[in-house]
Amino acid sequence: MVTPSAFFENQAIYEWLSTKEAASYLRMTPNALRILVHREKVQAYKLGSRLKFRLKDLRSILSKKGE
């Protein structure tokens, strides 16, 4: 599992996350994340045949979750 501190060390490198990285950041399975994308609860971007996630979008999800 990737620790949250690793995401903040070099923000330019971690601007875009893979499904596996984003799921780890949100502490859920990749399949659960794909379901949330399908239900339009999480913003994802299609780059080629892969889903990519912006770190700032994921942070906003976590901040909403804590409210």
Side-chain angles (χ1 to χ4, degrees), residues 1-8 11 14 17-30 33 42 53-63 65:
M1 176 177 254
V2 180
T3 62
S5 62
F7 287 96
F8 302 110
Q11 193 170 4
Y14 294 107
L17 302 176
S18 68
T19 302
K20 185 176 180 181
E21 292 167 333
S24 177
Y25 183 77
L26 295 173
R27 296 183 178 185
M28 62 177 58
T29 65
L33 180 57
V42 175
F53 301 85
R54 289 191 326 192
L55 185 56
K56 74 177 196 173
D57 294 336
L58 301 178
R59 284 186 194 142
S60 69
I61 291 168
L62 288 179
S63 68
K65 196 176 185 180

